[in-house]
Amino acid sequence: MALKTVILFSLVSIIPVTYVSQKETPLANAVFWAARKGNLALLQLLLNSGRVDADCRDYFGTTALMVASYSGHFECVKELIMQGADINYQRETGSTALFFACQQGHNDIVQLLFEFGASTELQTQDGGTALTVASQYGHPKVVDTLLKNGANVNDQLLDGATSLFLAAQEDHVTVVRQLLSSGAKVNNPREDGTGPLWMAAQMGHSEVVKVLLLRGADRDADRKDGSTALFKAAYKGHNDVIQELLKFSPSLGLLKNGSTVLHAAVIGGNHKTVRILLEANADPMLPNKNNELPADLTKSDRILNTLHPKTVSGEIL
């Protein structure tokens, strides 16, 4: 079973509800609270007192600027910057204020951070960047701003997943188109060989599959386990995806994993999928590596009758 690539740090663990600064001072905790709630007046009062630093941090290295950026409070972000907050400071996980603003889709804050020198190159512990997280969460305006400010369209997580992969995985069609138009490599796979097309197919994202194919995705690219996008879509019963893939004449024969897509469809148990593949000339008499025909892998009369309309008890008449 394929695992979805997910940027490592969950929102809850990134921005706790309560804060404990390194010095555990009430004033520092109040700065975090004001940044999270968007209370500009209180934030200004605290910072102007001279008794608390704009870069006060919690135990994980989270700064008030990160909190305000995540929470979408533009004026608080601006105030913290004016008070000298470090734009590119990275918390323990590697995340920055820009990362959080991109994750949440706060494009006005993203633009503001760029005005004051935010970097697109800083990475989280799993290799995540501002562009990978904006792509994963599907924020087209943010993606556009990042690309215009020099973000690398082919950034990769440590497991090899690109921004395009993450957008394809989550069915963000607009972002997929943006990234491809900006030079994203359509066939770049993860370390396990899973490419954007394979992932979109197994998730059932037919529109993303269509876009990727039209932009040159390899219809027969396989993972290290030998399965292709069509094989996975057939197993899952994603018939809309299968129809898109069939327009590009993918392989219906024996794959590197020792089976055919028709075997996958039969195991998946969707008789409509079986019928679609048969209509595309998949061969029901082609055995797998174990010398099993597709019909040998099911007890469903409906599927058996679809495979061989003149069949009784699994035997061809």
Side-chain angles (χ1 to χ4, degrees):
M1 181 179 293
L3 297 178
K4 292 173 65 176
T5 295
V6 179
I7 289 181
L8 182 61
F9 314 107
S10 70
L11 304 188
V12 174
S13 63
I14 296 173
I15 304 294
V17 176
T18 59
Y19 302 92
V20 180
S21 70
Q22 290 176 320
K23 295 183 179 180
E24 298 185 0
T25 65
L27 286 178
N29 286 331
V31 167
F32 278 95
W33 186 90
R36 180 165 61 90
K37 292 294 186 179
N39 192 324
L40 180 62
L42 177 58
L43 184 64
Q44 289 174 326
L45 180 65
L46 292 165
L47 295 176
N48 290 335
S49 72
R51 297 173 61 191
V52 62
D53 192 274
D55 273 329
C56 59
R57 299 158 194 161
D58 72 1
Y59 180 80
F60 300 101
T62 311
T63 66
L65 181 61
M66 295 176 191
V67 175
S69 297
Y70 171 86
S71 301
H73 301 308
F74 182 91
E75 293 301 329
C76 288
V77 170
K78 186 174 182 179
E79 180 66 24
L80 285 160
I81 293 173
M82 294 296 101
Q83 294 274 1
D86 185 346
I87 294 281
N88 291 313
Y89 182 79
Q90 292 177 275
R91 77 190 299 266
E92 185 180 276
T93 59
S95 306
T96 62
L98 179 64
F99 182 94
F100 289 127
C102 290
Q103 184 181 56
Q104 296 302 99
H106 302 312
N107 193 47
D108 56 343
I109 293 176
V110 171
Q111 293 173 326
L112 178 63
L113 292 169
F114 275 129
E115 288 178 19
F116 289 89
S119 172
T120 61
E121 298 178 3
L122 299 175
Q123 296 182 335
T124 62
Q125 289 177 346
D126 68 345
T129 64
L131 183 60
T132 60
V133 77
S135 299
Q136 181 179 18
Y137 283 84
H139 302 305
K141 291 182 180 179
V142 173
V143 168
D144 184 60
T145 298
L146 289 168
L147 292 172
K148 287 178 178 177
N149 282 274
N152 182 356
V153 73
N154 290 308
D155 275 343
Q156 292 178 286
L157 302 184
L158 297 184
D159 69 357
T162 62
S163 296
L164 178 62
F165 182 99
L166 295 167
Q169 173 180 273
E170 300 300 330
D171 200 21
H172 300 311
V173 181
T174 299
V175 173
V176 166
R177 289 194 177 102
Q178 284 178 288
L179 294 169
L180 288 169
S181 296
S182 297
K185 296 177 181 178
V186 70
N187 290 311
N188 264 20
R190 285 189 315 196
E191 289 182 349
D192 63 359
T194 307
L197 179 65
W198 193 103
M199 180 55 74
Q202 80 100 17
M203 297 296 291
H205 303 324
S206 59
E207 188 63 23
V208 171
V209 166
K210 178 180 180 179
V211 171
L212 292 171
L213 288 167
L214 289 171
R215 296 301 295 266
D218 182 353
R219 65 191 183 280
D220 288 322
D222 53 11
R223 289 172 18 122
K224 289 182 178 179
D225 64 7
S227 64
T228 63
L230 181 59
F231 183 92
K232 195 63 180 182
Y235 176 73
K236 291 273 191 174
H238 296 317
N239 294 332
D240 289 344
V241 169
I242 291 170
Q243 297 284 17
E244 293 298 335
L245 287 163
L246 288 174
K247 293 175 184 177
F248 288 79
S249 302
S251 174
L252 298 175
L254 201 64
L255 302 175
K256 291 179 182 178
N257 62 5
S259 292
T260 70
V261 295
L262 192 54
H263 285 88
V266 169
I267 294 172
N270 190 317
H271 77 281
K272 291 183 179 179
T273 303
V274 173
R275 187 177 69 247
I276 290 170
L277 292 173
L278 289 172
E279 290 172 352
N281 296 319
D283 185 356
M285 302 308 295
L286 185 62
N288 63 16
K289 64 180 179 181
N290 297 320
N291 204 34
E292 298 166 316
L293 297 177
D296 296 329
L297 303 178
T298 183
K299 294 182 179 180
S300 167
D301 289 338
R302 195 170 194 181
I303 291 178
L304 288 170
N305 287 331
T306 302
L307 287 167
H308 303 299
K310 297 181 180 180
T311 296
V312 177
S313 301
E315 297 182 0
I316 303 175
L317 295 178

